[in-house]
Amino acid sequence: MQQLKTKVLIIGAGTGGYVAGIRCGQLGLDTVLVDGGDGLGGTCLNVGCIPSKAIIHAAGKFETVAKAASGGTLGITATAPAIDLKQTVDWKDGVVRKLNAGVAALLKKAKVKVIKGWAEFADAKTCIVQTDDGEIRITAEHVILATGSEPVELPFLPFGGDVISSTEALSLSEVPKKLVVVGGGYIGLELGIAFRKLGAEVAIVEMAERILPLYDKALTDPVAKWLEKHGVELHLGARAGGFGDGKLSITTRDGEPLQLDADKVLVTVGRRPRTQGWGLDNMGVAMAGPFVKIDQRCATSMKNVWAVGDLTGEPMLAHKGSAQGEVVAEIIAGHDRVFDPVTIAAVCFTEPEIVSAGLGPNDVAGRDDVIQSVFPFAAIGRALAIEAGEDGGFVRVLASKADHRILGIQAVGQHVSELSNSFAQMMEMGAVLEDVAGTIHVHPTLGEAFHEASLRALGHAIHI
């Protein structure tokens, strides 16, 4: 068995793990990265964020041509479009391969040793990696756990055949005629909307009484209107059952049994931390429910064992893992760092898109010390010019009445994901309403709605 000693051992090559690796290398730390999952870039790059956005983008292009073919749009007409989903998936895979190669090049430049194989820990600082070339025993001074998460499987709807997770949905060779999505969260809605644009008949089954239950109703209403307008069948307050002979059994909110025709059943009821199969029980780290417990330095209860990303709890977002990975690398290198963000913005790439950073209306319900201001995209020139002002979209700002400190920012509308960094930056800097109001925003852009919402909170919006 090959023996290997290193300063830093990272388990998992997702956004938390590979970023930690690159930063460790930049800081001159001898680093080994074990990749035993989806490949360099992890879930996000290979079977999550990036490929799903590629398919969503392709679906939007198809929808535009379909509109032009069904009576015209903006004076543009076209013949009826067709899609070869296999070619679309091949293009998506090409994007993934290019990014994989980029991550590999960055790790090589940082002098990080990458080992492809599955690790299993014998104790907190020692693991055995099974590779194609045999076993490698690795001991390390520091261990960074970045094993990520995996889709939750329902016992009565096990993955296989026509019951698929988001991973399989992103690699289908043809558009299903009838798709039933179990779960009305962001993953199910993003993919369900994309497949509806591509021509599938889509039904969504959600246990809660509305879609995207983690967001307030004002943010989700425009999405619900899009679903209704485009013939997506919604079964809210409903429970899914078994699947067989092309039919999914559900129980409606009224307790009535119902059979839904389905060529494919996409199960998107959540994700869970990947804690099994790599010897976590042998490491002696404390847990916080299903997650590995960490402090503000991303340190576990075991000395010099760190954890980042989905393994550490909500929000299970790629950019959180990346930020944690940087922090841990710098701490190991002797820097004084903590992971203590003011906010971690979240985006739903639905139709329209949703962004949320900081506190929302539900968080401040009953408080009279908070200003809430909303500005509609219908009053923004750029939004109207790109057909983004007619779906009920808006930007909302919440701020303290006492000192005007911004407490939260939300938006719903086409392309609002591009505003998320501005929202997070203003909150991280501790901005007050006057900071946003005093920043000259470029015209014509969607960001003007953020400016106007802040002006409105101060009592003097210009364009409403």
Side-chain angles (χ1 to χ4, degrees), residues 167-246:
T167 299
E168 293 77 36
L170 293 168
S171 295
L172 291 175
S173 59
E174 59 183 25
V175 178
K177 292 182 179 179
K178 295 180 182 292
L179 174 69
V180 177
V181 180
V182 178
Y186 75 96
I187 296 175
L189 284 177
E190 286 181 4
L191 294 177
I193 287 170
F195 278 105
R196 181 69 191 106
K197 289 181 178 181
L198 292 172
E201 295 178 31
V202 177
I204 295 172
V205 180
E206 167 58 45
M207 285 179 61
E209 290 300 322
R210 59 184 184 84
I211 57 171
L212 298 168
L214 296 180
Y215 292 88
D216 66 85
K217 189 173 182 297
L219 287 175
T220 61
D221 275 350
V223 180
K225 289 177 183 176
W226 189 96
L227 296 173
E228 181 181 5
K229 180 180 178 181
H230 291 82
V232 175
E233 196 177 315
L234 279 181
H235 298 275
L236 302 176
R239 292 178 178 270
F243 174 72
D245 297 325

Side-chain angles (χ1 to χ4, degrees), residues 26 39 83 132 143 415:
Q26 290 172 342
I83 186 167
D132 291 340
V143 172
H415 310 296

Side-chain angles (χ1 to χ4, degrees), residues 215-219 355-357 359-362 371-375 394-398 408-412 423 449-450 453:
Y215 292 88
D216 66 85
K217 189 173 182 297
L219 287 175
V355 176
S356 182
L359 301 180
N362 295 340
I371 305 168
Q372 294 191 46
S373 171
V374 174
F375 194 88
F394 60 84
V395 172
R396 178 174 62 212
V397 178
L398 287 78
I409 316 165
Q410 291 84 40
V412 56
F423 294 172
F450 184 23

Side-chain angles (χ1 to χ4, degrees), residues 92-366:
K92 176 265 296 181
D93 289 342
V95 172
V96 170
R97 284 193 298 272
K98 185 180 296 185
L99 291 170
N100 278 144
V103 171
L106 291 168
L107 288 164
K108 183 178 180 180
K109 180 181 177 182
K111 296 181 172 56
V112 176
K113 181 177 179 61
V114 177
I115 297 175
K116 181 70 175 178
W118 193 256
E120 183 164 356
F121 281 86
D123 58 48
K125 307 291 172 56
T126 308
C127 73
I128 307 295
V129 181
Q130 304 288 340
T131 74
D132 291 340
D133 299 321
E135 294 183 346
I136 304 175
R137 184 177 187 271
I138 306 175
T139 57
E141 184 180 336
H142 292 267
V143 172
I144 303 176
L145 302 176
T147 55
S149 62
E150 58 195 4
V152 172
E153 184 178 50
L154 295 173
F156 49 87
L157 281 175
F159 294 133
D162 293 326
V163 179
I164 59 176
S165 72
S166 56
T167 299
E168 293 77 36
L170 293 168
S171 295
L172 291 175
S173 59
E174 59 183 25
V175 178
K177 292 182 179 179
K178 295 180 182 292
L179 174 69
V180 177
V181 180
V182 178
Y186 75 96
I187 296 175
L189 284 177
E190 286 181 4
L191 294 177
I193 287 170
F195 278 105
R196 181 69 191 106
K197 289 181 178 181
L198 292 172
E201 295 178 31
V202 177
I204 295 172
V205 180
E206 167 58 45
M207 285 179 61
E209 290 300 322
R210 59 184 184 84
I211 57 171
L212 298 168
L214 296 180
Y215 292 88
D216 66 85
K217 189 173 182 297
L219 287 175
T220 61
D221 275 350
V223 180
K225 289 177 183 176
W226 189 96
L227 296 173
E228 181 181 5
K229 180 180 178 181
H230 291 82
V232 175
E233 196 177 315
L234 279 181
H235 298 275
L236 302 176
R239 292 178 178 270
F243 174 72
D245 297 325
K247 294 183 183 294
L248 177 71
S249 299
I250 72 168
T251 303
T252 69
R253 63 156 61 98
D254 299 322
E256 298 295 324
L258 189 64
Q259 299 273 308
L260 301 179
D261 292 332
D263 297 304
K264 299 289 181 183
V265 176
L266 171 58
V267 179
T268 60
V269 294
R271 297 184 65 85
R272 63 186 173 205
R274 189 175 281 125
T275 57
Q276 301 299 313
W278 49 271
L280 176 62
D281 293 343
N282 298 327
M283 300 187 73
V285 300
M287 303 295 289
F291 303 104
V292 171
K293 185 178 181 180
I294 59 170
D295 62 14
Q296 282 191 313
R297 300 168 71 244
C298 299
T300 71
S301 58
M302 179 64 67
K303 184 180 179 181
N304 291 349
V305 175
W306 316 82
V308 302
D310 290 357
L311 189 64
T312 66
E314 299 289 352
M316 296 168 77
L317 299 171
H319 42 289
K320 182 196 79 172
S322 297
Q324 288 177 318
E326 287 189 67
V327 166
V328 170
E330 293 177 7
I331 290 172
I332 293 172
H335 298 196
D336 185 14
R337 291 293 311 275
V338 294
F339 181 71
D340 187 24
V342 172
T343 187
I344 302 174
V347 177
C348 290
F349 289 85
T350 45
E351 188 66 62
E353 295 174 348
I354 296 174
V355 176
S356 182
L359 301 180
N362 295 340
D363 300 310
V364 299

